[in-house]
Amino acid sequence: MSQDKILRKNMLALLTGEYARMSFEDAVAEFPMRRINENFPNADYTPWDLLEHIRIAQEDILDYIKNPKYKERAWPSDYWPPKGKKASPADWKKTISDFKRDFKELRDMVKDPKTDLYEEIPWGTGQTILREIVLVANHNAFHLGEFAMMRQAMGTWGKSHKR
């Protein structure tokens, strides 16, 4: 197997958590809709707030990779939903759907041998596509772990949850 194929295989595993953590789908599975706006214990944000933050950050990095007219967002206000916004079940589903759409685009980018992972992003300051993919993987992994721990603390795992 070529070094390029090995790298791409491992980058995909890093994105999906295949070797070390649960997937996004497993983390959000069977979450009770009645609790999407309930604050985590000792936190000032909700399960939906956290998922929306993960989605927004991933979307931003994908936009940065692709868009020559990329505009930097303000931290932290542009990376979290508005404080106190109550999400509907439709908002929850949209967050999950939009996350999956952008995640698929990132995976497809990594899978595509035409994508030069070492190419510097022309409108950046030396960042490569590889670096940005690692950034997405790390950010998603961190917050999905947080989401799983908060589910444990909230008692929101369903009966079919496996450790």
Side-chain angles (χ1 to χ4, degrees):
M1 187 180 294
S2 74
Q3 287 183 331
D4 183 67
K5 286 182 181 178
I6 292 168
L7 173 65
R8 289 175 194 281
K9 179 182 176 194
N10 281 284
M11 292 304 298
L12 290 168
L14 181 65
L15 274 172
T16 62
E18 182 178 326
Y19 299 144
R21 64 172 169 78
M22 74 174 46
S23 68
F24 177 83
E25 289 78 6
D26 288 343
V28 301
E30 300 175 356
F31 196 93
M33 285 297 111
R34 71 186 185 286
R35 302 200 53 199
I36 64 175
N37 293 305
E38 183 180 313
N39 281 5
F40 289 138
N42 300 312
D44 63 349
Y45 51 93
T46 68
W48 179 75
D49 291 334
L50 184 55
L51 287 184
E52 184 65 358
H53 167 68
I54 296 167
R55 183 203 64 77
I56 292 167
Q58 178 178 265
E59 173 190 66
D60 180 59
I61 295 167
L62 178 60
D63 185 40
Y64 177 71
I65 292 170
K66 297 179 358 180
N67 184 0
K69 295 180 183 192
Y70 172 80
K71 299 278 190 252
E72 193 169 325
R73 298 177 186 204
W75 173 258
S77 60
D78 291 344
Y79 289 89
W80 288 87
K83 271 280 185 229
K85 179 177 178 358
K86 297 294 183 201
S88 68
D91 292 328
W92 178 269
K93 289 176 185 157
K94 182 171 179 6
T95 293
I96 290 172
S97 173
D98 289 355
F99 173 91
K100 288 179 177 181
R101 177 201 63 221
D102 292 343
F103 190 74
K104 180 183 183 316
E105 190 169 348
L106 287 163
R107 279 193 338 258
D108 290 348
M109 191 181 296
V110 172
K111 287 178 187 177
D112 185 353
K114 293 177 189 158
T115 302
D116 180 355
L117 298 173
Y118 300 103
E119 178 183 359
E120 287 188 7
I121 297 166
W123 43 90
T125 55
Q127 298 89 343
T128 63
I129 294 172
L130 177 64
R131 179 204 180 262
E132 296 305 305
I133 298 293
V134 170
L135 180 60
V136 168
N138 285 338
H139 187 265
N140 287 354
F142 175 84
H143 285 302
L144 289 174
E146 177 186 15
F147 190 82
M149 298 277 297
M150 292 299 105
R151 283 196 76 168
Q152 185 71 25
M154 292 175 76
T156 58
W157 287 116
K159 291 181 181 182
S160 64
H161 173 67
K162 299 173 189 139
R163 289 184 196 233

